[in-house]
Amino acid sequence: MKFSFSALSVITLVSTANAQNTYTPARAEQHVIDIKNHDSSSGCLIWNEDSPLRNDLELWKNELRQYTGVINKKLQTDFAPDLRRLFNDDYSNREQICRAYADPSAQVPIVNTVAENMSDLSDPKTVELKQSLRGRNLEESPNAPPTLMEEYFNGSQQLSYLPRQGYMEPLVPPLRHPDMCLPDNNRGDYVATMDYMIEDFGHICRNVLNRNMRTVFIDMGACYKFEHSTNNNPVQAIKAIEKYRHNGIHFDHIYAYEVRDLKTEDVYASIPDHMKGPLHWINMPVSPEEGHDDNPWT
């Protein structure tokens, strides 16, 4: 199978740069890295050419659709509280907090039940609700919650993994939602959507968050001001920020870079109130120069 796309070097860079952190690419991603012939101009060929790899990816896409359905239901609920503020001094309630707010199937009825009695995960209503949503018996294995792979992507096993961040979507062409490759779909409708991106919030809650850390969101290309953008239909970056917020991760700082000259008052008028405090609006381009003041990474 032959295919190519302009961001192949990005995949290689990400995979090799994280090797020291034991980054494990999904099988499909590793296949992309290993392929030597890249003479096709279509990033969709990997989805359209018959191969065992495509069959695996189609299974992953079906699993993604089910997972996205769960996440979208969660996004219809109220924002979760800042999880850092809920942890005990000794973090003895970490697992309770993560199950109640950060796991994909954590829903408002469960959150309310657990919040009323944070010291007791054996409450019958809590157990019943969680079992119906997660398909797991928490009483039998209270300290071994299923991983994101086990619970939602066990068929395809097509997720990449980094010990600190947890599981994530495989980095394969076209580096967009795969439905843009369906022949009857308008590709423009899928260029900006981020529904294919997978964040392992439960893992982050259990392995990264602590009471004293600060959270930062860096947006390079912060086009917040659109005529069609309202708080009920936000641009993708705002959706991403709110997705984290629904899972209990509140950003202390949002550094937003944008090269187009926009009026600051228009920018602030187009974003929700919860972003106005942490937003640092930087109306200039990002510099690739190492050590430059406008390079957010160095």
Side-chain angles (χ1 to χ4, degrees):
M1 181 173 63
K2 300 179 180 181
F3 64 89
S4 70
F5 65 111
S6 60
L8 181 63
S9 59
V10 175
I11 292 181
T12 306
L13 176 62
V14 170
S15 298
T16 55
N18 286 294
Q20 59 182 341
N21 297 320
T22 61
Y23 175 75
T24 305
R27 294 193 314 278
E29 183 177 335
Q30 187 62 55
H31 180 80
V32 170
I33 297 170
D34 293 341
I35 284 289
K36 303 303 181 183
N37 297 315
H38 308 292
D39 58 359
S40 168
S41 61
S42 172
C44 286
L45 186 57
I46 191 174
W47 294 94
N48 297 330
E49 188 170 86
D50 288 335
S51 70
L53 175 61
R54 192 195 72 165
N55 295 338
D56 276 355
L57 286 174
E58 287 292 339
L59 176 56
W60 172 80
K61 189 169 71 169
N62 289 334
E63 294 169 331
L64 175 68
R65 188 175 295 111
Q66 297 176 9
Y67 170 76
T68 302
V70 173
I71 294 299
N72 286 340
K73 288 181 180 179
K74 189 173 184 179
L75 298 182
Q76 296 170 12
T77 68
D78 294 335
F79 290 130
D82 190 334
L83 303 188
R84 297 169 297 176
R85 308 292 177 254
L86 300 182
F87 292 141
N88 291 340
D89 290 343
D90 62 357
Y91 297 95
S92 60
N93 67 338
R94 180 189 289 273
E95 182 59 32
Q96 294 172 322
I97 295 298
C98 295
R99 290 191 184 191
Y101 296 102
D103 285 337
S105 54
Q107 302 284 339
V108 165
I110 296 176
V111 169
N112 290 340
T113 303
V114 177
E116 290 170 2
N117 188 358
M118 290 305 300
S119 64
D120 186 10
L121 263 182
S122 63
D123 177 85
K125 292 182 179 179
T126 302
V127 172
E128 181 181 357
L129 283 167
K130 280 185 174 293
Q131 286 180 190
S132 66
L133 285 169
R134 298 177 66 86
R136 301 284 177 141
N137 190 327
L138 300 183
E139 292 179 308
E140 293 179 357
S141 54
N143 298 317
T147 66
L148 193 65
M149 179 87 85
E150 291 172 332
E151 191 163 12
Y152 294 99
F153 298 91
N154 196 42
S156 69
Q157 295 282 306
Q158 289 286 4
L159 291 182
S160 299
Y161 180 79
L162 193 61
R164 185 168 174 81
Q165 281 78 18
Y167 288 103
M168 61 200 77
E169 74 281 355
L171 197 58
V172 296
L175 297 181
R176 295 290 188 273
H177 195 291
D179 279 353
M180 75 177 295
C181 293
L182 295 176
D184 295 332
N185 284 351
N186 180 2
R187 292 191 176 189
D189 293 339
Y190 295 90
V191 168
T193 181
M194 296 193 292
D195 287 348
Y196 72 99
M197 300 180 73
I198 297 169
E199 300 90 354
D200 199 343
F201 293 112
H203 184 97
I204 293 171
C205 178
R206 292 175 174 90
N207 298 277
V208 179
L209 287 184
N210 65 62
R211 289 164 52 89
N212 301 314
M213 73 186 312
R214 292 292 178 265
T215 52
V216 177
F217 185 94
I218 299 176
D219 187 359
M220 296 181 289
C223 301
Y224 295 149
K225 183 64 176 70
F226 290 102
E227 291 182 0
H228 66 271
S229 178
T230 68
N231 287 355
N232 293 324
N233 183 29
V235 295
Q236 292 299 320
I238 296 177
K239 287 184 177 180
I241 290 169
E242 295 194 337
K243 185 178 182 181
Y244 274 81
R245 198 174 180 89
H246 275 289
N247 287 276
I249 300 176
H250 295 214
F251 291 107
D252 300 306
H253 300 280
I254 300 171
Y255 292 93
Y257 291 82
E258 172 55 41
V259 65
R260 295 189 304 162
D261 187 19
L262 300 176
K263 293 182 179 180
T264 302
E265 56 268 29
D266 290 342
V267 171
Y268 275 83
S270 68
I271 63 175
D273 290 342
H274 65 79
M275 285 182 59
K276 293 177 180 178
L279 181 66
H280 304 270
W281 174 248
I282 307 170
N283 205 174
M284 60 181 62
V286 171
S287 172
E289 181 183 341
E290 186 174 353
H292 194 281
D293 289 343
D294 296 321
N295 184 330
W297 307 112
T298 62

